[in-house]
């Protein structure tokens, strides 16, 4: 594969699928305040689906494992994600409501998000070796990495991570949104990705060294418009942000995670992997929507070349 690209890599993503309802506004509302917005935009979302689509756009072979409701929104979500080239054979349809996210985006890209988990909250995996596990499509035999987030129960993430470790597959965890009860999961993680508030909740600060003390082999903290910093056994690194015209920051973090997971799976040094992730995340802010704004691998390469 070409260094830094996702070509030939296979990523398994276990995570959430939501239908995003987005309303653009001139400014975010305060507590108890009503702000008039433009027309509602409905697009596929959820951290699991977003990161799967981002990785596919970057050129990887991607399989998504998750759960949607047996309803019109669930079928619409599956069609949208499959249309991006993601294998959704591991996504179950169950008798529950499909997850939804309500997103308000102000001019300049800042946003507020409320999530109704729906079918995601009921998602589970059984222990490795159980025949029930096979119905989820969680086959890691040929995977280069497993990517997890916390919009599904921690128990499901733990079951997936344990199987990945058994197969020698690197585990990447985007610990978002922050959730308690990660003591058993973090020691199974090869690469932990969090933002500043999540880092502070986990270790009482934003230094990646504090996160490494919890068990992961490498940790990266995203800093929004200031880039990201990371640390592994080889030491620390920091990458600045890329200057781009920001339209909508929704999905930028998920794009960052997908690119970082792929660069890590490709064996790139952490500093280079973080820089590439910053470039991908920046490009995702230059258009409206989450999945609709995610860049291709070629776009990331061109931005990196211009900035070098």
């Amino acid at each position: 594969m070409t260094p830094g690209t996702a070509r030939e890599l296979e990523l398994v993503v276990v995570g959430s699928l939501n239908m995003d309802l987005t309303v653009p506004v001139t400014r975010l509302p305060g507590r108890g305040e009503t702000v008039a917005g433009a027309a509602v935009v409905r697009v596929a979302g959820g951290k699991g689906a977003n990161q799967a689509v981002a990785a596919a756009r970057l050129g990887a072979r991607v399989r998504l494992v998750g759960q949607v409701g047996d309803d019109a929104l669930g079928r619409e979500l599956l069609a949208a994600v499959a249309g991006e080239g993601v294998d959704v054979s591991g996504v179950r349809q169950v008798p529950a409501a499909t997850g939804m996210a309500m997103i308000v985006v102000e001019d300049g890209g800042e946003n507020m998000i409320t999530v109704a988990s729906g079918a995601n909250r009921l998602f589970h995996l059984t222990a490795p070796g159980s025949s029930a596990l096979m119905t989820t499509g969680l086959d890691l035999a040929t995977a280069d990495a497993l990517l997890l987030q916390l919009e599904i129960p921690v128990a499901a993430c733990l079951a997936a991570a344990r199987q990945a470790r058994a197969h020698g597959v690197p585990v990447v965890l985007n610990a978002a949104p922050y959730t308690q009860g990660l003591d058993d999961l973090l020691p199974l993680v090869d690469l932990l990705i969090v933002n500043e508030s999540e880092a502070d909740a986990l270790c009482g600060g934003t230094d990646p060294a504090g996160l490494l003390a919890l068990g992961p082999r490498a940790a990266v903290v995203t800093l929004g418009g200031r880039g990201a910093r990371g640390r592994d056994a080889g030491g620390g690194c920091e990458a600045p942000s890329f200057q781009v015209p920001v339209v909508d920051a929704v999905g930028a973090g998920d794009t960052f995670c997908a690119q970082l997971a792929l660069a890590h799976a490709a064996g790139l040094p952490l500093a280079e992997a973080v820089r590439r992730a910053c470039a991908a995340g920046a490009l995702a802010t230059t258009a409206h929507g989450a999945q609709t704004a995610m860049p291709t691998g070629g776009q990331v390469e061109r931005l990196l070349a211009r900035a070098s």
Side-chain angles (χ1 to χ4, degrees), residues 5-306:
T5 71
R7 187 168 297 122
E8 302 303 325
L9 290 176
E10 181 176 324
L11 182 68
V12 174
V13 181
V14 176
S16 60
L17 298 92
N18 292 321
M19 184 61 73
D20 289 352
L21 301 179
T22 302
V23 180
V25 295
T26 56
R27 62 179 179 84
L28 297 178
R31 184 183 295 272
E33 182 182 13
T34 299
V35 174
V40 176
V41 179
R42 190 170 81 184
V43 294
K47 283 189 170 296
N50 285 348
Q51 293 180 15
V53 168
R57 289 268 183 94
L58 292 166
R61 299 192 307 277
V62 185
R63 288 185 283 123
L64 176 60
V65 178
Q67 197 159 269
V68 296
D70 187 11
D71 52 24
L73 288 181
R75 290 186 286 275
E76 186 177 337
L77 269 174
L78 287 177
V81 176
E84 293 286 349
V86 175
D87 181 347
V88 297
S89 61
V91 179
R92 295 180 293 207
Q93 291 184 271
V94 298
T98 293
M100 296 185 70
M102 283 62 75
I103 306 171
V104 180
V105 182
E106 73 173 358
D107 294 345
E110 289 297 324
N111 60 76
M112 298 173 64
I113 304 175
T114 300
V115 177
S117 298
N120 297 304
R121 180 175 55 85
L122 305 174
F123 180 71
H124 67 279
L125 293 173
T126 55
S130 167
S131 60
L133 181 64
M134 299 308 293
T135 64
T136 67
L138 185 59
D139 177 5
L140 298 171
T142 59
D144 293 293
L146 169 70
L147 179 56
L148 305 168
Q149 323 78 32
L150 298 178
E151 286 186 341
I152 58 173
V154 173
C157 292
L158 185 59
R162 284 173 172 161
Q163 186 178 356
R165 299 297 290 181
H167 281 84
V169 174
V171 177
V172 180
L173 171 65
N174 174 210
Y178 168 72
T179 303
Q180 294 182 330
L182 302 181
D183 291 351
D184 292 333
L185 178 58
L186 290 176
L188 301 176
V189 172
D190 293 278
L191 174 60
L192 174 66
I193 309 168
V194 291
N195 63 23
E196 292 177 281
S197 64
E198 293 153 357
D200 187 60
L202 282 168
C203 69
T206 59
D207 186 344
L211 295 169
L212 293 187
L214 301 178
R217 290 150 188 78
V220 172
V221 179
T222 60
L223 309 172
R226 294 177 287 119
R229 66 170 65 101
R231 179 169 290 274
D232 60 11
C237 65
E238 188 159 350
S241 62
F242 288 75
Q243 298 305 307
V244 296
V246 176
V247 173
D248 180 355
V250 174
D254 291 329
T255 304
F256 179 100
C257 291
Q259 176 65 88
L260 187 58
L262 293 172
H264 178 75
L268 296 183
L270 186 62
E272 184 176 349
V274 171
R275 182 170 181 266
R276 288 181 174 276
C278 284
L283 286 169
T285 71
T286 61
H288 285 292
Q291 296 178 16
T292 53
M294 290 170 172
T296 65
Q299 289 174 312
V300 173
E301 293 294 337
R302 288 190 290 274
L303 178 58
L304 288 166
R306 290 198 303 269

